[in-house]
Amino acid sequence: MSSQAVRLVVLVSGSGTNLQALLDAVADDTYGARVVAVGADREGIEGLARAERAGLPTFVERVADHPDRQAWDVALAGRIAGHRPDLVVCAGFMKILGAPTLRAFPVLNTHPALLPSFPGAHGVRDALAYGVRLTGCTVMLADEGVDTGPIIAQQAVPVLDGDDEAGLHERIKTVERHLLVDTVGRMAREGWTVTGRTVRFGRAGE
């Protein structure tokens, strides 16, 4: 992998299937990025095990180990900064990042719905309850709101007759993994610019 590859710190909270998709992608030297560390908010998760099997540095920063959320925000930002990332990727990370991280690094996040519809922790359930026939997933730049950052990419997933939350979510996650890998790769190879709420691939002036 070229030393010029974009440096990724990936944050996980669970099984790490999105992380694994990124690890598989960065094995290709033409992808343009490499994972330099994996962080988590809890111990003993498969996401960390995947990183360790890949020989990557890992770190855990638990909210419970700090006097308040603000102290955790500062500590997490410090741990991330120690790996000098060009881009931070939330790959199933179930904590809202605070200003110390969001103001220091570009942060990529995903959501299992077509934002701005159905933000929050229950996007799949809310979409089903509303009766939509089309939902999907979103890749965005995170900001200090909840699923309110500038949208980079989206892909639709149809809601099928008889869908329940678990089945629909699994189909969305399959699409989400591909969309995340494609988006990270394009950002790494092409760069990106943000104008207001519009994100475009390519570097300024190109």
Side-chain angles (χ1 to χ4, degrees):
M1 177 63 69
S2 166
S3 62
Q4 299 304 307
V6 166
R7 298 171 61 87
L8 307 177
V9 167
V10 182
L11 302 179
V12 296
S13 291
S15 64
T17 52
N18 280 350
L19 167 64
Q20 188 62 57
L22 286 168
L23 293 177
D24 293 343
V26 300
D28 181 345
D29 286 346
T30 66
Y31 184 67
R34 62 190 177 110
V35 178
V36 297
V38 175
D41 61 330
R42 64 195 70 185
E43 302 272 4
I45 58 172
E46 177 61 17
L48 288 174
R50 290 178 191 272
E52 289 160 2
R53 288 194 294 269
L56 293 170
T58 63
F59 61 88
V60 176
E61 204 62 60
R62 301 192 318 154
V63 175
D65 293 337
H66 298 278
D68 54 37
R69 188 61 175 262
Q70 185 174 9
W72 176 78
D73 287 336
V74 171
L76 180 64
R79 298 295 289 275
I80 293 169
H83 298 282
R84 298 180 290 110
D86 300 305
L87 184 65
V88 176
V89 181
C90 292
F93 190 62
M94 299 308 292
K95 293 288 189 293
I96 296 173
L97 295 175
T101 295
L102 294 170
R103 294 177 185 175
F105 317 102
V107 177
L108 210 62
N109 198 8
T110 63
H111 182 69
L114 295 174
L115 294 172
S117 298
F118 312 115
H122 304 293
V124 179
R125 182 189 310 173
D126 293 344
L128 273 174
Y130 200 82
V132 299
R133 304 308 299 168
L134 197 67
T135 185
C137 54
T138 301
V139 178
M140 78 203 95
L141 286 172
D143 63 10
E144 293 180 43
V146 178
D147 300 324
T148 56
I151 291 167
I152 304 172
Q154 293 181 303
Q155 190 165 336
V157 175
V159 179
L160 306 179
D161 291 341
D163 261 340
D164 60 12
E165 182 180 358
L168 177 57
H169 201 176
E170 281 304 313
R171 293 209 321 281
I172 291 172
K173 286 193 289 188
T174 298
V175 172
E176 180 184 83
R177 284 192 288 273
H178 292 291
L179 189 64
L180 177 64
V181 167
D182 179 68
T183 301
V184 171
R186 288 195 66 186
M187 292 174 77
R189 293 187 301 273
E190 301 174 31
W192 71 94
T193 60
V194 184
T195 305
R197 290 195 53 82
T198 301
V199 182
R200 291 187 175 90
F201 295 112
R203 295 171 179 82
E206 290 184 354

